[in-house]
Structures are given as C-alpha cells and as structure tokens.
C-alpha cells in the first residue's frame, strides 16, 4: 500500500501548492496528485491554475516524490498529442517520477473550448482513442491516426523519457473500469466501490488502484463537518451530476441545501485518529492500494502535523 496526498489546485495558490508538495515529500508521502481544472468547483475555492506548470515546478523542487494529475481529460480541452507531449516533458523533468492520470472529463472544465458536451458513451470512446494516440506517440517517430472522433496528422514527440509514464485511468462504473484494464496501467477512483476493482480485474487489469480518501480533521466533529461542507459539498452529488454541470454557479445552486451533517456521507470528521484510520481502511478494503489523503477542511499545516503524528506511522507501515 502506498499513501499519497491530494493537492487541491482549486483551493490554493501556485506557490502554496508547490510548498505543500515539498512538505508531503518531507513527511514521507509516496506521491502527490493534483486536480487539473479550468474552473474551481465552488466560488469560495478561488483558484484553478494550470496544473501542468505546477507539476513542472514541483518536479524541480522535489527529489523523490511521484507526481501526476488526478485527472486530465486528454480528448477535449487538450488534444491527446498535447497531453502526450506535456506528460513526456513532465516525466523528463522529474527524472521518471511522473504518472499520467486520465479521465473522460467534466463539463465544468471541458466546455470552455466551445465544443458540444457529448454523452458519456461518446466520452469513453474519445478517451479510448486518446490513449491509443498517446501510447503511439510515446513509441517515438512520426505517427498519424484517423479515428471516429480524433485525428492525428504526422506528429512526433521529440523529448521522451527513458520509460513511458504509467497511465492511470479514472472510472466511476464498470465500462470505464474495463477501459482502464485494456488501455491503462492502473485504475483511479473517488469512491470505495469494490465493484470498480472487481470490474477492473475481471477485464484483466492488474495494475495499481488509486483512490481519494477525504478526511476532515478538526478539534471537534461539528467544526470538521462545517469545514468539509464549505469546501467539499460539491462531491455529494456524485459523478453523474458532477460531470454534467458547467460552472461553479451551478454547483453552488446544486449544493445550497447541503448541511454539515450531510458530509458524513463522504468524509470522516473530528479529532479522533481512529475515525480517520477507519475511513482509510474502508477504501483499502474495497481493493485500492494507492490511497490519496485529501485534506477536507483543516489548515494545511495543521493537517500535515496531524497526519505526521496520527496517521502516517500506521499507514506507511502497513503491507
């Protein structure tokens, strides 16, 4: 089992994100993953920088920690040829410490280029073609591709790492989990659903299985739940809604009636380490082996101090 840390690009400035990555490395986290958004989920988040520039800065500011997006859509806002180039460059900058997390996208970020928002079936087909293009370009030389949705015209990525990055494919259901097994090197999820892991394995997937684990740390449960509600209520609606709403104003409206108590559905809360360790174990017992701790409310330094004292000693010693 490997423990990572989530860099919430929607909530913090670029220098602060780099600082958090450095601190995560100092504490012994194995990897950081950063959200790749054009817009934040909620207005109060206040940020949404270009994740690939942030990862490049982290690559230069750290020595050992692995770095990747959680996740990039390689078919709409970016063409897969550009993602292949960005990812290869990040892998070179980091000395091979980069992994590429990909998914079929959210309307919140992808609609900004003005294209129509396709159905989930089409988005999965586009992701499949994207991964074919990326892998093709990582073999070196010039390549062209003519798919149903995407094309590539005589393109070559010149700066390639010695070993291609692992591709970790996000899935919210069985169809995407099977796609992760066929075209990816690993699985990425945001919920502790054993059926995702089962579908991934049934389709032949045997790679790492990443999942995000939200933890609301505070001196008391009520404060923890209130902070989680302020920053993370966007997640209550689930991916079938989250993928479809176009702007923060829509998420504000969709979650206006959410209460702090509702946050118990997704985050452990309060000062008790056993509650947070129980939350982490729930995700591990669902079959995930790369657990991404998400700070769902605390000051970043308070969260790091809490994790150093209460969580990491036990989690990093687990097999």
């Amino acid at each position: 089992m490997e423990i990572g840390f989530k860099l919430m690009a929607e909530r913090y400035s670029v220098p602060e994100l780099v600082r958090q990555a450095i601190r995560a490395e100092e504490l012994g986290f194995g990897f950081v993953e950063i959200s790749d958004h054009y817009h934040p989920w909620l207005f109060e988040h206040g940020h949404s920088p270009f994740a690939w520039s942030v990862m490049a800065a982290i690559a230069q500011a750290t020595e050992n920690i692995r770095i990747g997006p959680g996740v990039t859509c390689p078919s709409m806002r970016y063409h897969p040829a550009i993602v292949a180039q960005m990812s290869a460059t990040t892998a070179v900058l980091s000395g091979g410490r980069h992994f590429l997390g990909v998914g079929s996208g959210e309307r919140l970020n992808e609609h900004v280029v003005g294209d129509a928002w396709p159905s989930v079936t089409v988005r999965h087909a586009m992701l499949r073609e994207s991964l074919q293009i990326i892998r093709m370009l990582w073999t070196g030389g010039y390549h062209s591709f003519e798919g149903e949705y995407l094309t590539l015209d005589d393109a070559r990525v010149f700066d390639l790492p010695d070993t291609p990055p692992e591709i970790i494919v996000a899935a919210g259901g069985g169809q995407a989990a099977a796609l992760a097994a066929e075209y990816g090197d690993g699985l990425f999820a945001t919920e502790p659903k054993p059926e995702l892991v089962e579908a991934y394995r049934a389709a032949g997937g045997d790679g790492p299985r990443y999942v995000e684990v939200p933890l609301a740390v505070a001196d008391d449960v009520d404060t923890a739940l209130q902070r989680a509600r302020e920053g993370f209520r966007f997640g209550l609606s689930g991916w079938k809604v989250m993928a479809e709403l176009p702007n923060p104003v829509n998420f504000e409206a969709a979650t206006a009636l959410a209460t702090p108590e509702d946050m118990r559905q997704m985050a452990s809360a309060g000062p008790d380490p056993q509650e947070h360790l129980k939350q982490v174990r729930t995700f591990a017992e669902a079959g995930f082996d790369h657990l991404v701790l998400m700070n769902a409310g605390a000051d970043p330094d308070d969260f790091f101090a809490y994790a150093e004292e209460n969580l990491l000693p036990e989690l990093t010693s687990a097999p």
Side-chain angles (χ1 to χ4, degrees):
M1 186 167 68
E2 187 172 6
I3 305 300
F5 179 72
K6 173 75 172 189
L7 297 171
M8 289 290 293
E10 305 91 331
R11 303 193 73 182
Y12 300 103
S13 69
V14 173
E16 172 61 15
L17 291 167
V18 176
R19 187 192 74 85
Q20 288 183 25
I22 294 170
R23 185 65 180 134
E25 179 176 69
E26 291 171 348
L27 292 178
F29 283 92
F31 63 97
V32 290
E33 57 107 336
I34 183 170
S35 41
D36 182 6
H37 282 204
Y38 196 89
H39 293 140
W41 298 105
L42 302 167
F43 285 129
E44 56 257 54
H45 285 167
H47 295 278
S48 202
F50 185 55
W52 290 89
S53 295
V54 180
M55 284 188 282
I58 292 169
Q60 293 295 281
T62 59
E63 296 181 358
N64 300 305
I65 201 163
R66 297 190 299 111
I67 311 151
V71 294
T72 285
C73 176
S75 57
M76 282 174 269
R77 182 168 37 115
Y78 309 126
H79 187 279
I82 305 305
V83 174
Q85 184 187 39
M86 293 190 300
S87 185
T89 298
T90 306
V92 172
L93 276 173
S94 64
R97 292 183 286 127
H98 166 65
F99 59 92
L100 175 59
V102 297
S104 58
E106 299 126 359
R107 191 177 180 190
L108 177 72
N109 306 301
E110 309 310 323
H111 82 275
V112 298
V113 295
D115 291 339
W117 182 239
S119 69
V120 66
T121 299
V122 171
R123 298 200 304 270
H124 284 162
M126 294 174 72
L127 178 59
R128 183 177 293 107
E129 290 185 6
S130 297
L131 296 179
Q132 291 176 288
I133 290 171
I134 290 168
R135 290 201 181 277
M136 183 187 301
L137 287 169
W138 283 352
T139 64
Y142 283 90
H143 297 277
S144 297
F145 180 90
E146 187 70 37
E148 184 176 358
Y149 301 101
L150 297 168
T151 61
L152 181 74
D153 183 23
D154 203 24
R156 175 183 173 186
V157 175
F158 275 80
D159 290 277
L160 291 169
D162 293 336
T163 302
E166 283 190 322
I167 298 178
I168 313 299
V169 181
Q175 181 181 352
L179 191 153
E182 184 176 1
Y183 290 96
D185 300 301
L187 177 71
F188 184 97
T190 59
E191 298 174 278
K193 292 183 175 180
E195 59 267 31
L196 290 178
V197 175
E198 292 165 5
Y200 174 67
R201 287 174 168 160
D206 60 359
R209 301 167 302 281
Y210 289 70
V211 69
E212 296 179 341
V213 187
L215 311 173
V217 173
D219 291 337
D220 61 86
V221 172
D222 289 344
T223 299
L225 291 173
Q226 178 59 38
R227 289 176 178 170
R229 191 252 174 218
E230 291 168 358
F232 280 79
R233 65 185 184 275
F234 64 87
L236 289 172
S237 55
W239 280 108
K240 288 188 178 181
V241 174
M242 292 170 67
E244 302 299 329
L245 300 183
N247 281 298
V249 66
N250 305 107
F251 282 94
E252 298 281 355
T255 59
L257 299 181
T259 68
E261 191 64 23
D262 291 332
M263 300 309 300
R264 290 184 185 272
Q265 300 174 35
M266 59 180 295
S268 53
D272 185 356
Q274 293 307 314
E275 286 298 311
H276 298 301
L277 289 169
K278 180 181 177 182
Q279 169 86 330
V280 175
R281 292 189 191 104
T282 297
F283 285 74
E285 290 166 0
F288 295 94
D289 58 6
H290 284 59
L291 308 179
V292 189
L293 305 190
M294 296 181 68
N295 174 17
D299 171 87
D301 288 316
D302 288 345
F303 182 86
F304 279 134
Y306 185 93
E308 181 180 21
E309 180 178 355
N310 299 294
L311 306 179
L312 291 176
E314 182 160 346
L315 295 176
T316 54
S317 64

